Amino acid sequence: MKQLIMDYTPYVTRAALVEDGEMIAFSVEMAKYRGIVGNIYKGKVENVLSGMKAAFVNIGLEKNGFLYIGDSLVDNKGLENEMPAKVVHHSPGDIIMCQVVKDQFGTKGARLTTDVSIPGYYVVMIPDSSFLGVSRKIEDFKRREYLEELVKSVAPPNTGFIIRSAADKASDKDIINEIGNLSMIWSDIQEAYKKAPEKSIVFEDASLFERAIRDTFAEKIDRIIVNDEKMAEAMVGRVGKAAIECYKGDRNIMAHYNLTSQINHICDRKVPIKNGGYLIIDKTEAFTVIDVNTGKFVGSKDLEDTVFNTNLCAADAIAKILRLRNISGIVVIDFIDMLDENHKTALLDRLSENLKKDNMKTTAVGITQLGLVELTRKKTRLPLDDFMLQPCAECGGGFVVSDAQLAFMLRDELVDYLLASKHKHCYVGLHPAIFDVVFETGLLNRHINTSWKDKKVFLYKDPQVAREKFNVSFEKPSEFEKELVRLQLEAEE
């Protein structure tokens, strides 16, 4: 069974795609710090690099965006025929409509395109284009032809479309209605562009909640579970045959479905694999390095057999990790050295086969002279590491669990602790950095009228508490009395 489980609040949203109990994709987004991929801007060309067919464009952000001919949000990987790129020549001072295809990474500004596209559940609209593409996942030739003719018959003039795999099971009415909705969105964008000042946003892409549904719509999800009743109601009639369920339990939805441990260990540097071996994952600004080790696995035949089996298990695990952590760009894998050429070929075949399951374009280059496997994975949104980890203040070179992730972890522990407690009030001391994140993100607000309905919970900053811990007492801490923040009032108040 494949399920999409969503932990929603107005401040932060988490989405987990789960197959038979194993998490295969995970995303998190804070409302204050949303990415900008998919956003459309009214930009001003600042500088043109004619030799590179590229330009730097001011879109009102700290860094200028980089516009390169050939970039697009549309991924040609799943299409029978490739969408051609527009060839447009720009000059400094030109005002252009552009869309973000890659978030800002490190010191680099956002990557831009003038090939604007607007995604829906069943189709992707490509304004000012005549292109019509169909997902390869729709294998029935007659169905493909039928969908092409249907979309052509209702497509606005000079507008291209990509027919997504979810359209295979959609009704004609659903597809036609979506094309109409996307056409209205495009009209609104054009009007907003006319009125907008230079270097400003004219369209913001959907939130993680909407994208999680939209982008996993073709995954043949059996059930969508969300912890917000209004959001669950809003999805009715929009998610095909998937069953919609609203979770109303006291515990956090991820904890209830036994996903907390998987989430907490997503970005571990050391990752165990099935046969007792393990991976070591290190990231740099330029690329990610994955080292494969046999660990406790000693095999049953000889060294070559042991190494081969460990490498195969690693190939399975690495493909899943790339998607789960959204690791992108250049990835170098140091598999354990093998002598048998057939084993090397089989390993590359196994890795390539696993990478085909990834919705993001991923390509294995091959084995280098040093025995390393190189691959590239398309960059769009920030990797999960950027939320889950932060630079270590002590060593300056390593990474530790981020304040935001620790706030989630402590929230779940605290909720379970207080649910089991018979006390009607308590005082909770948190490290100052974690305290700030808890209130900034509203992580505990959902429990005010549920699990803590008849209790009083007070939080305070305690510099003596470690980042990864909290201190609970049932007597008022006098030294922090002035700093107490009442999180929960009694129901009658």
Side-chain angles (χ1 to χ4, degrees):
M1 174 180 282
K2 190 175 286 188
Q3 302 175 111
L4 178 62
I5 298 175
M6 306 191 68
D7 179 11
Y8 170 83
T9 77
Y11 311 94
V12 62
T13 301
R14 297 189 298 173
L17 185 61
V18 181
E19 187 169 21
D20 299 328
E22 182 181 5
M23 193 162 60
I24 59 175
F26 180 74
S27 299
V28 60
E29 180 177 85
M30 290 187 179
K32 281 189 175 182
Y33 306 106
R34 286 178 57 179
I36 60 173
V37 172
N39 291 358
I40 298 174
Y41 293 83
K42 187 172 186 176
K44 181 177 182 180
V45 177
E46 298 284 354
N47 188 25
V48 175
L49 306 175
S50 55
M52 296 177 61
K53 297 181 180 178
F56 287 101
V57 182
N58 189 334
I59 56 175
L61 301 181
E62 183 181 353
K63 299 182 181 70
N64 287 341
F66 183 73
L67 174 66
Y68 179 74
I69 300 301
D71 275 346
S72 172
L73 267 177
V74 175
D75 189 349
N76 289 308
K77 171 188 174 184
L79 303 178
E80 284 290 341
N81 50 330
E82 188 168 313
M83 188 182 83
K86 293 179 186 175
V87 180
V88 182
H89 298 286
H90 299 295
S91 302
D94 285 354
I95 305 300
I96 62 172
M97 180 185 290
C98 50
Q99 187 171 34
V100 177
V101 296
K102 292 182 185 178
D103 262 317
Q104 302 178 90
F105 288 90
T107 60
K108 297 177 181 178
R111 192 93 172 221
L112 308 174
T113 181
T114 52
D115 290 333
V116 172
S117 59
I118 308 169
Y121 292 91
Y122 309 110
V123 298
V124 177
M125 173 182 276
I126 311 167
D128 300 325
S129 171
S130 58
F131 180 77
L132 181 61
V134 186
S135 169
R136 283 198 190 103
K137 292 182 180 179
I138 302 178
E139 297 177 350
D140 187 307
F141 181 73
K142 289 185 177 180
R143 178 62 175 167
R144 292 169 64 88
E145 280 194 329
Y146 178 82
L147 289 171
E148 286 180 353
E149 291 304 316
L150 174 66
V151 171
K152 281 180 184 177
S153 69
V154 295
N158 194 33
T159 304
F161 285 92
I162 290 173
I163 301 169
R164 308 183 74 174
S165 57
D168 190 19
K169 305 298 181 183
S171 68
D172 290 3
K173 182 180 178 182
D174 287 338
I175 295 171
I176 293 169
N177 285 344
E178 182 168 88
I179 290 174
N181 291 335
L182 293 177
S183 298
M184 286 190 288
I185 292 173
W186 174 236
S187 294
D188 291 342
I189 290 171
Q190 289 176 302
E191 284 301 311
Y193 180 80
K194 291 176 185 177
K195 299 174 183 177
E198 297 173 6
K199 300 172 285 188
S200 66
I201 187 170
V202 296
F203 172 78
E204 187 174 29
D205 194 20
S207 67
L208 173 59
F209 187 89
E210 289 284 343
R211 295 199 315 272
I213 300 168
R214 183 185 75 197
D215 296 343
T216 58
F217 205 61
E219 295 266 4
K220 298 181 180 178
I221 296 173
D222 300 295
R223 189 164 61 149
I224 298 175
I225 310 164
V226 61
N227 60 346
D228 187 277
E229 194 165 359
K230 289 183 180 179
M231 290 297 178
E233 291 173 357
M235 285 190 287
V236 175
R238 297 169 53 197
V239 292
K241 297 180 180 179
I244 304 168
E245 180 181 325
C246 181
Y247 170 74
K248 298 180 180 180
D250 288 336
R251 301 185 73 201
N252 177 261
I253 188 170
M254 298 299 182
H256 177 78
Y257 286 99
N258 300 315
L259 298 177
T260 300
S261 179
Q262 292 185 56
I263 293 170
N264 292 347
H265 292 287
I266 281 179
C267 292
D268 284 356
R269 180 171 181 263
K270 183 176 180 179
V271 180
I273 55 179
K274 286 186 177 180
N275 72 337
Y278 64 91
L279 310 174
I280 296 294
I281 303 174
D282 287 306
K283 67 170 186 173
T284 70
E285 187 173 342
F287 53 83
T288 300
V289 181
I290 302 177
D291 184 41
V292 182
N293 299 271
T294 55
K296 298 178 181 178
F297 182 62
V298 294
S300 56
K301 294 182 181 179
D302 54 31
L303 179 60
E304 179 72 14
D305 178 70
T306 299
V307 167
F308 180 54
N309 280 288
T310 300
N311 282 338
L312 290 179
C313 288
D316 296 339
I318 288 168
K320 292 179 181 178
I321 289 168
L322 294 178
R323 181 181 183 186
L324 193 57
R325 292 168 64 156
N326 193 28
I327 295 172
S328 53
I330 299 171
V331 180
V332 176
I333 308 169
D334 186 8
F335 285 105
I336 306 169
D337 291 339
M338 297 181 295
L339 300 176
D340 191 318
E341 292 298 324
N342 290 330
H343 284 173
K344 292 179 182 179
T345 302
L347 174 62
L348 283 176
D349 289 344
R350 178 78 156 257
L351 181 62
S352 297
E353 197 62 34
N354 284 322
L355 293 176
K356 289 179 183 178
K357 302 172 186 176
D358 195 342
N359 292 329
M360 200 65 69
K361 184 178 181 180
T362 309
T363 306
V365 178
I367 299 179
T368 68
Q369 290 182 342
L370 295 176
L372 305 174
V373 172
E374 297 177 348
L375 61 86
T376 60
R377 187 172 186 269
K378 184 179 178 182
K379 276 187 178 181
T380 50
R381 301 185 187 277
L382 294 172
L384 196 56
D385 289 14
D386 276 38
F387 175 85
M388 307 285 282
L389 303 175
Q390 67 186 39
C392 176
E394 300 298 325
C395 69
F399 293 87
V400 295
V401 179
S402 69
D403 291 341
Q405 174 58 15
L406 278 175
F408 274 107
M409 294 165 69
L410 296 183
R411 184 274 307 268
D412 292 345
E413 287 184 41
L414 181 59
V415 169
D416 286 349
Y417 182 90
L418 294 178
L419 282 173
S421 171
K422 296 179 181 179
H423 292 270
K424 290 294 184 181
H425 68 275
C426 70
Y427 303 87
V428 182
L430 295 171
H431 184 279
I434 308 304
F435 178 96
D436 291 341
V437 173
V438 165
F439 276 91
E440 180 184 333
T441 57
L443 282 181
L444 295 172
N445 290 4
R446 181 173 296 280
H447 303 281
I448 289 177
N449 295 315
T450 55
S451 51
W452 298 349
K453 184 177 180 181
D454 299 318
K455 297 182 180 182
K456 290 181 180 179
V457 179
F458 294 86
L459 302 188
Y460 62 92
K461 296 180 181 181
D462 186 349
Q464 302 302 314
V465 175
R467 288 178 65 247
E468 66 277 7
K469 301 289 183 182
F470 59 82
N471 180 41
V472 178
S473 62
F474 301 104
E475 294 183 6
K476 186 182 294 184
S478 56
E479 67 269 36
F480 296 106
E481 187 169 356
K482 292 183 180 180
E483 299 177 27
L484 293 176
V485 177
R486 180 186 285 190
L487 184 67
Q488 172 60 50
L489 302 177
E490 288 179 313
E492 60 268 21
E493 293 184 42

